[in-house]
Amino acid sequence: MSRNHWITLHRLRFAAPVDARARSFAAPEGVDCWRFCPELRCGPDGLPTFNADVWAGIALHETRAGAEAMIADPATALPFLSEAVEDWHALAVPVTHRGAVNWRGTVETDAAVRPAEPVAGPLVMVTTAGYLSRDAATLPRIRAFCAGLVEVLADYATRPGNLRRGVFTGGFDGRDGFTISVWSDDRAMAGAAYQPGTHQGMIARQKTGEMADRTSFTRARLLAQRGSWDGDPMAA
């Protein structure tokens, strides 16, 4: 086992929406952790539908060689890739991880991702949020959080340093989903996320208990990419 994880990211667009409650996707062989979730779509009730044509996956690998092999030949690792009409794959190394997340079937705090020493490169932010239950008392908070995420993505889309962004919802299988945002550099991300604005407002609400029961964030450096996420993110 290496000291740090290596991350691969995979964004797929299918020809038609896929319902997470009706379709399952097997995890790739040899990965330490795998999450594959549909992009956030809110229904008339303001809750996630778990049904989208865009899905994204995040895999944690024990070795760089294993991560690079998945990027070099994603079709072998992801047999359902043949169903996609667009796909993007990236290799990243985590440099920071904090917070609580349920990706493996149990909540892990400050331990789900093992970061490496700092390195340079474009920034990938992965964030998560989760709930203790989905009972009637919790649903208003889930609605508020989903609405807030939509507002944050709309704001990020206006930021020059934000290259791509997406929210991929968990909960359909009892585990957390994640967001992915790709940034030209740390300054661009910090200006959007931590200066007064939409995201800062969500952070303030989270601190009051209005939003999720647990959150986490991972900062990673983008090392390589291939394919298309609405074109080439690095060409933006």
Side-chain angles (χ1 to χ4, degrees), residues 28 70 73-79 81:
M70 191 166 175
D73 185 14
T76 296
L78 308 173
L81 186 59

Side-chain angles (χ1 to χ4, degrees), residues 1-232:
M1 183 175 70
S2 65
R3 194 193 71 80
N4 62 274
H5 279 117
W6 298 87
I7 295 175
T8 56
L9 302 165
H10 311 268
R11 180 186 181 272
L12 280 61
R13 182 184 299 277
F14 295 104
V18 178
D19 191 332
R21 296 160 298 186
R23 173 78 185 274
S24 61
F25 297 88
E29 293 185 7
V31 301
D32 178 60
C33 182
W34 170 250
R35 292 297 288 137
F36 193 54
C37 301
E39 192 170 55
L40 176 65
R41 301 285 190 272
C42 296
D45 60 359
L47 296 173
T49 64
F50 307 120
N51 190 11
D53 60 333
V54 175
W55 284 57
I58 180 168
L60 303 181
H61 302 257
E62 293 290 355
T63 67
R64 179 168 184 163
E68 288 178 334
M70 191 166 175
I71 294 298
D73 185 14
T76 296
L78 308 173
F80 49 84
L81 186 59
S82 61
E83 303 174 42
V85 296
E86 181 187 54
D87 58 288
W88 176 81
H89 312 273
L91 170 67
V93 58
V95 294
T96 305
H97 172 73
R98 295 174 188 163
V101 58
N102 180 359
W103 275 351
R104 294 181 173 90
T106 187
V107 176
E108 299 173 276
T109 302
D110 299 335
V113 181
R114 301 194 308 273
E117 296 297 325
V119 296
L123 176 65
V124 177
M125 285 291 296
V126 177
T127 68
T128 71
Y131 297 87
L132 298 176
S133 74
R134 293 181 63 85
D135 60 16
T138 306
L139 293 183
R141 289 195 292 127
I142 296 176
R143 291 188 184 94
F145 191 78
C146 290
L149 287 174
V150 171
E151 293 178 2
V152 168
L153 289 193
D155 177 60
Y156 281 1
T158 69
R159 307 282 181 156
N162 181 243
L163 307 179
R164 294 294 186 272
R165 69 223 64 87
V167 180
F168 305 95
T169 55
F172 59 89
D173 59 358
R175 295 181 289 156
D176 301 342
F178 54 91
T179 73
I180 301 173
S181 58
V182 184
W183 302 85
S184 58
D185 53 48
D186 293 30
R187 179 176 295 181
M189 182 279 295
Y194 301 119
Q195 296 299 316
T198 305
H199 187 266
Q200 182 63 25
M202 280 198 71
I203 292 176
R205 293 178 68 188
Q206 174 64 29
K207 291 178 178 178
T208 68
E210 295 179 57
M211 294 295 185
D213 291 320
R214 59 178 175 268
T215 63
S216 78
F217 74 89
T218 303
R219 296 182 184 182
R221 296 300 177 190
L222 185 65
L223 303 179
Q225 59 148 11
R226 61 178 295 177
S228 172
W229 178 343
D230 298 330
D232 180 357

